[in-house]
Amino acid sequence: MAALIPVGVAGLGRYVPERRLTNHDLEQIVDTSDEWIVQRTGIRERRIAADGEVTSSLALEAARAALADAGMAPEELDLVICATVTGDQPFPATACRLGFDLGAARAGGFDLAAACSGFVFASQVAAGFVQSGQFRNVLVVGAEVLSRILDYRDRNTCVLFGDGAGAAIYTSLERAGRGEFLGGSIAMEGGAESILAQPGGGSRHPATADSVQQGLHFMKMGGTRVFRFAVRVFAELVQGVIDRHGREALGVIVPHQVNQRIIESAMEQIGLPMDLVFTNIDRYGNTSAASVPIALREAYEAGRLQKGKLVVMPAFGAGMAWGHLLLRW
Ligand code: UT7
């Protein structure tokens, strides 16, 4: 077998819609309060896609920013992977529209559905293709318009989520010169459809007047169970990296932006200070597959990715599906 090609990150990008939905705005829509939301989640506002904006159009802006950061033309891309659970439509893949709009004339593409773990899983798939030599330049975008599947009468879910997109381009480490891919993990525990899901619109509950009447096209969640699960796997994933590489190697943790309290509880459990974590949940809420790449790009802009140090990205969500992505910057 040929030797694996070392992989790096050529470019990072992000895009969030203009419109801000604040906690005070939500107070006018459902029975909630700014105080409750801030105390329980750390969220102050989230972005909402404008009429006419769709997942592929958010993804397009993030992808363009990543290409500019990489100094790469769209024709150089070999593969486009779009991680999303709110694609433009059930099929065809949102990646096909994205690649077309981007001008990625040579690229193949597909979507990857792993909810909040989507970007972390798709990045490992991308790195595998580059390592094997099958593709040279792979674009991964995590993009979501969750506002279109939220029930703004359900205070258990509608306060938590927002819209956005983040992107990364993987290529050979030689070309990228930074962000060496060191690996990651992909895990699942099935049978959890009642904990966190969009139940309607698939083969189990096809869209009918009745399914719409029952609101099955909206996201449903048992928040407390997700909370406990998220704290446990976040702590396990980060502890695993420390056991393998040592505490000193750790530069920054850029986790799925799930809930400030979940992040704080997990960090306390591992005995690590909060200044090791990058968070932006106060401004965007939970943007599912977009959350890690948006945070990664912002951590980069803020100078939080330190040369030679590890960047750990734990993610977890519906499935249940969880895992992490590990880079050395
Ligand atoms: O990427 C994974 C996606 N999932 C998540 O991000 C969810 C993870 N879970 C969580 O973030 C937390 O469980 C929540 C923020 C959803 C809830 O926090 P909690 O501390 O677990 O609260 P709770 O569910 O135990 O609810 C406490 C109370 C309930 O009232 P009663 O039954 O005690 O009277 C809820 O009805 O808070 C009420 N409540 C609200 N009150 C005001 C629930 N949502 C709201 C709200 N505003 N938006």
Side-chain angles (χ1 to χ4, degrees):
M1 207 175 104
L4 293 179
I5 298 165
V7 179
V9 176
L12 296 172
R14 65 175 268 292
Y15 173 78
V16 290
E18 292 276 307
R19 187 180 155 211
R20 294 179 153 86
L21 182 69
T22 66
N23 293 349
H24 295 294
D25 295 332
L26 282 164
E27 284 174 352
Q28 311 303 314
I29 303 172
V30 276
D31 180 17
T32 190
S33 67
D34 175 55
E35 193 193 352
W36 190 96
I37 301 171
V38 172
Q39 216 176 64
R40 302 286 180 131
T41 71
I43 302 167
R44 292 181 185 277
E45 60 180 38
R46 63 294 285 145
R47 300 300 181 99
I48 304 295
D51 290 346
E53 272 190 312
V54 290
T55 298
S56 63
S57 52
L58 269 53
L60 179 64
E61 296 302 326
R64 283 183 174 150
L67 282 170
D69 186 39
M72 198 179 275
E75 299 80 15
E76 292 181 74
L77 293 171
D78 300 295
L79 184 68
V80 173
I81 309 177
C82 185
T84 186
V85 289
T86 51
D88 291 0
Q89 49 203 56
F91 74 88
T94 298
C96 297
R97 166 52 62 179
L98 170 62
F100 177 75
D101 289 346
L102 196 57
R106 287 194 312 109
F110 56 86
D111 289 358
L112 189 151
C116 304
S117 302
F119 174 80
V120 158
F121 291 4
S123 291
Q124 293 175 70
V125 173
F129 278 126
V130 177
Q131 278 179 328
S132 72
Q134 184 168 350
F135 296 122
R136 280 201 313 183
N137 304 317
V138 182
L139 168 69
V140 174
V141 184
E144 305 281 10
V145 182
L146 292 162
S147 59
R148 305 254 160 85
I149 65 162
L150 290 174
D151 182 351
Y152 283 94
R153 294 164 303 183
D154 175 13
R155 66 179 186 177
N156 290 301
T157 51
C158 75
V159 305
L160 299 174
F161 299 92
D163 303 335
I169 296 170
Y170 297 91
T171 190
S172 69
L173 183 61
E174 194 180 6
R175 175 167 184 185
R178 62 182 176 179
E180 182 179 8
F181 170 74
L182 295 184
S185 60
I186 294 177
M188 68 173 178
E189 202 171 282
E193 292 86 357
S194 63
I195 300 179
L196 180 52
Q198 179 189 17
S203 59
R204 190 185 302 276
H205 299 293
T208 59
D210 197 39
S211 78
V212 172
Q213 175 69 26
Q214 290 179 54
L216 298 183
H217 55 296
F218 290 130
M219 184 195 300
K220 314 277 182 224
M221 187 180 73
T224 313
R225 290 173 74 183
V226 179
F227 195 103
R228 281 195 226 112
F229 153 80
V231 172
R232 175 173 63 81
V233 302
F234 183 126
E236 282 172 10
L237 290 166
V238 174
Q239 189 62 54
V241 172
I242 292 174
D243 292 347
R244 182 133 186 231
H245 297 271
R247 162 72 179 82
E248 289 313 305
L250 209 57
V252 66
I253 300 167
V254 184
H256 169 45
Q257 306 289 311
V258 56
N259 174 323
Q260 189 71 20
R261 275 168 56 226
I262 290 177
I263 296 171
E264 286 172 4
S265 303
M267 292 297 280
E268 195 183 320
Q269 203 163 308
I270 327 163
L272 291 176
M274 273 303 286
D275 62 8
L276 260 181
V277 189
F278 183 86
T279 63
N280 59 13
I281 188 162
D282 56 328
R283 288 175 290 134
Y284 307 128
N286 179 344
T287 57
S288 191
S291 102
V292 172
I294 292 174
L296 185 62
R297 168 71 199 208
E298 293 195 347
Y300 168 56
E301 284 171 15
R304 294 288 303 274
L305 310 184
Q306 306 162 51
K307 197 162 174 34
K309 294 276 193 176
L310 298 183
V311 184
V312 192
M313 287 159 272
F316 24 82
M320 310 308 283
W322 68 98
H324 77 291
L325 172 64
L326 185 63
L327 303 176
R328 184 189 290 120
W329 204 253

